[in-house]
């Protein structure tokens, strides 16, 4: 039996997988069990921010795993403390809660927002407005938060208390901001929804309205955060810091970690016994994440992400087939004129390049430390696929 047959024998068929068995990775290249290599413009959906098996990252992870691989959260560890302090320093937030995924980070944000409101105003002010076409995760609560009808099937009953407003439509938001609302949750750039950035004027107005009513703003930066858009948080490009921000995908360089960051107003809302996670803040994940922070947190590095993003845009804009390029930094969506995104993805794969799709677009999330030469090699393959 082939690996794929054995795999399908034992693992639930919840994903539309490509027929490739990846075995090893080094920097921006991954190799399958037949020895075929692929340049990766997807980073495992934005998780491998420093590419595959980055040397400094792997050293830190291996050293930690030989020292102390895990301890319950009934104890303190220095590695978790160092990482949390550094993350607060870089982002300007006051407190961190650790989970293991984007969905868990968002669950924490939702619980925090509801408790903030309950503590201050009592029952009944629990509604969270999210945006249509958003994506916030796969747990029951984060599915409920996700503003796409296609995610609201099968698993009834869903979690109550979510309403969905149209992105970039301030009147719709105003109409839905009633006295039951405790928070508005946004992605500055909707990732899974098709790499659609919010308009600055809309974000300005949204913050203003929320500020007037003491409604919290939650920024789901699970995909946009940790340098992906060319600033450490995408919110910086809107000159905004949400009351609560969640991070996950790229934060630990490919190890599971999700964090929920709270500002001064929200820092003490979740007290002893109100939230938890067995694996949250795992020392090995923290050791890897520290290397990501030390690298991605540097202004020069962030500037290089912006420059490489601009380079990708300039190269692809020349393609006749490209209708539109959306996104920020190295989080890009490419709308095509005549070709289908899955066809282009498969053609790129045949030519040794991994890309992603988001709705009807090609989506690129290259490793943040990709070199210009690698970028050009990948772009030349992609351009060939778009012209063929
Ligand atoms: C991927 C993603 C999530 C879910 O993260 P998981 O780690 O899969 O739970 C949530 N929000 C956004 C914006 C995402 O891109």
């Amino acid at each position: 039996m082939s690996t794929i047959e054995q795999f399908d024998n034992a693992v639930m068929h919840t994903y539309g997988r490509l027929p490739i068995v990846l075995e090893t990775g080094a920097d921006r290249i991954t190799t399958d069990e037949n020895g075929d290599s692929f340049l990766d413009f997807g980073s495992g959906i934005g998780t491998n921010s420093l590419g595959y098996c980055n040397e400094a990252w792997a050293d830190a992870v291996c050293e930690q795993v030989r020292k102390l691989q895990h301890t319950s959260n009934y104890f303190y560890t220095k590695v978790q403390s160092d990482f949390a302090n550094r993350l607060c320093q870089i982002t300007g937030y006051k407190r961190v809660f650790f989970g293991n995924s984007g969905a868990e980070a968002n669950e924490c944000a939702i619980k925090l927002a509801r408790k903030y409101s309950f503590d201050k105003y009592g029952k009944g002010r629990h509604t969270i407005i999210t945006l249509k076409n958003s994506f916030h995760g796969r747990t029951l609560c984060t599915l409920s938060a996700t503003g796409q009808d296609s995610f609201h099937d099968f698993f009834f009953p869903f979690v109550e208390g979510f309403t969905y407003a149209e992105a970039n439509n301030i009147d719709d938001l105003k109409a839905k901001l009633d006295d039951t609302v405790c928070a508005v949750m946004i992605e500055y750039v909707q990732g899974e929804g098709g790499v659609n950035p919010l308009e600055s004027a809309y974000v300005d107005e949204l913050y203003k309205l929320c500020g007037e009513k003491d409604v919290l703003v939650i920024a789901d930066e699970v995909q946009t955060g940790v340098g992906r858009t060319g600033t450490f948080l995408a919110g910086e490009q809107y000159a905004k810091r949400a009351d609560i921000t969640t991070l996950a995908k790229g934060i630990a360089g490919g190890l599971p970690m999700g964090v929920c960051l709270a500002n001064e107003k929200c820092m003490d809302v979740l007290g002893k016994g109100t939230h938890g996670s067995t694996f949250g803040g795992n020392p090995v994940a923290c050791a890897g994440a520290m290397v990501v922070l030390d690298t991605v947190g540097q202004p020069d590095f962030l500037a290089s992400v912006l420059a490489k993003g601009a380079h990708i845009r300039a190269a692809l804009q020349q393609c006749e087939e490209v209708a539109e390029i959306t996104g920020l930094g190295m989080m890009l969506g490419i709308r095509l004129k005549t070709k289908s995104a899955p066809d282009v993805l498969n053609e790129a794969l045949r030519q040794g390049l991994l890309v992603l799709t988001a709705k009807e677009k090609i989506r690129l999330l290259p490793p943040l430390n990709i070199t210009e030469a690698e970028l050009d090699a990948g772009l030349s393959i992609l351009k060939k696929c778009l012209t063929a």
Side-chain angles (χ1 to χ4, degrees):
M1 249 204 291
S2 71
T3 304
I4 290 177
E5 282 167 329
Q6 287 181 27
F7 187 107
D8 282 338
N9 224 0
V11 181
M12 286 189 199
H13 298 187
T14 52
Y15 300 95
R17 293 176 207 273
L18 298 164
I20 292 177
V21 183
L22 295 176
E23 212 165 59
T24 60
D27 298 323
R28 268 67 57 189
I29 308 275
T30 176
T31 303
D32 73 4
E33 63 176 8
N34 305 320
D36 290 328
S37 290
F38 304 89
L39 179 59
D40 191 355
F41 271 18
S43 311
I45 319 189
T47 54
N48 299 333
S49 34
L50 304 181
Y52 290 99
C53 310
N54 173 269
E55 192 92 11
W57 175 88
D59 284 347
V61 166
C62 290
E63 193 181 316
Q64 184 61 47
V65 86
R66 291 183 185 284
K67 201 151 88 183
L68 181 74
Q69 88 277 30
H70 183 71
T71 174
S72 78
N73 280 307
Y74 294 120
F75 299 95
Y76 294 87
T77 63
K78 182 154 170 27
V79 61
Q80 188 181 129
S81 165
D82 287 348
F83 175 70
N85 277 286
R86 185 99 171 82
L87 187 60
C88 286
Q89 187 197 357
I90 288 180
T91 58
Y93 281 96
K94 296 290 179 199
R95 292 275 198 280
V96 183
F97 177 85
F98 285 99
N100 310 286
S101 66
E104 280 180 68
N106 287 338
E107 289 268 351
C108 178
I110 291 162
K111 284 177 70 175
L112 198 165
R114 286 189 172 171
K115 185 162 183 300
Y116 172 86
S117 190
F118 178 84
D119 290 348
K120 206 162 163 182
Y121 303 99
K123 274 193 177 162
R125 198 176 176 276
H126 55 248
T127 303
I128 295 178
I129 299 178
T130 65
L131 299 185
K132 290 184 182 165
N133 206 35
S134 56
F135 180 78
H136 297 298
R138 294 287 193 163
T139 61
L140 265 175
C141 179
T142 56
L143 275 181
S144 305
T146 292
Q148 301 186 51
D149 290 343
S150 59
F151 287 87
H152 301 158
D153 270 329
F154 319 128
F155 312 115
F156 308 101
F158 285 89
V159 177
E160 290 174 47
F162 291 93
T163 54
Y164 314 104
E166 206 178 303
N168 294 323
N169 179 341
I170 205 69
D171 291 333
D172 194 33
L173 183 70
K174 266 185 203 158
K176 282 163 184 159
L177 258 176
D178 61 24
D179 292 341
T180 71
V181 177
C182 66
V184 176
M185 185 163 170
I186 57 170
E187 296 160 88
Y188 290 108
V189 184
Q190 293 188 333
E192 303 304 309
V195 201
N196 303 311
L198 292 179
E199 290 161 11
S200 275
Y202 175 77
V203 173
D204 285 346
E205 196 63 21
L206 180 150
Y207 270 79
K208 191 163 148 263
L209 286 172
C210 290
E212 286 164 7
K213 297 184 150 216
D214 194 21
V215 165
L216 300 178
V217 179
I218 303 173
D220 177 349
E221 292 228 31
V222 166
Q223 191 160 155
T224 54
V226 199
R228 175 50 59 189
T229 66
T231 44
F232 191 81
L233 298 178
E236 294 168 48
Q237 294 181 51
Y238 292 83
K240 294 286 180 290
R241 184 185 294 127
D243 297 291
I244 304 170
T245 286
T246 56
L247 302 174
K249 289 193 167 80
I251 194 169
L255 288 174
M257 177 186 283
V259 306
C260 177
L261 298 163
N263 68 4
E264 197 133 26
K265 194 152 112 172
C266 297
M267 62 192 259
D268 291 322
V269 171
L270 293 177
K272 197 186 287 181
T274 56
H275 199 40
S277 161
T278 298
F279 281 114
N282 171 273
V284 178
C286 286
M290 197 67 177
V291 175
V292 173
L293 272 200
D294 283 342
T295 310
V296 175
Q298 302 296 333
D300 289 0
F301 187 92
L302 290 165
S304 79
V305 173
L306 277 179
K308 286 185 274 191
H311 181 74
I312 299 172
R313 275 178 182 271
L316 293 176
Q317 248 141 16
Q318 300 163 358
C319 275
E320 178 51 37
E321 176 60 24
V322 173
E324 184 196 14
I325 304 175
T326 58
L328 293 175
M330 279 212 275
M331 175 176 182
L332 294 168
I334 306 160
R335 188 190 301 286
L336 305 171
K337 285 186 184 153
T338 61
K339 292 182 188 295
S340 87
D343 286 351
V344 171
L345 178 148
N346 281 306
E347 186 50 37
L349 198 62
R350 275 191 287 277
Q351 301 200 29
L353 177 72
L354 306 184
V355 299
L356 302 163
T357 62
K359 300 285 181 209
E360 71 291 346
K361 291 179 191 166
I362 291 286
R363 174 171 44 151
L364 306 182
L365 300 171
L368 299 177
N369 62 356
I370 193 166
T371 65
E372 294 247 349
E374 290 165 331
L375 213 46
D376 284 338
L379 286 169
S380 118
I381 295 176
L382 188 54
K383 281 199 260 185
K384 237 187 287 169
C385 299
L386 291 174
T387 10

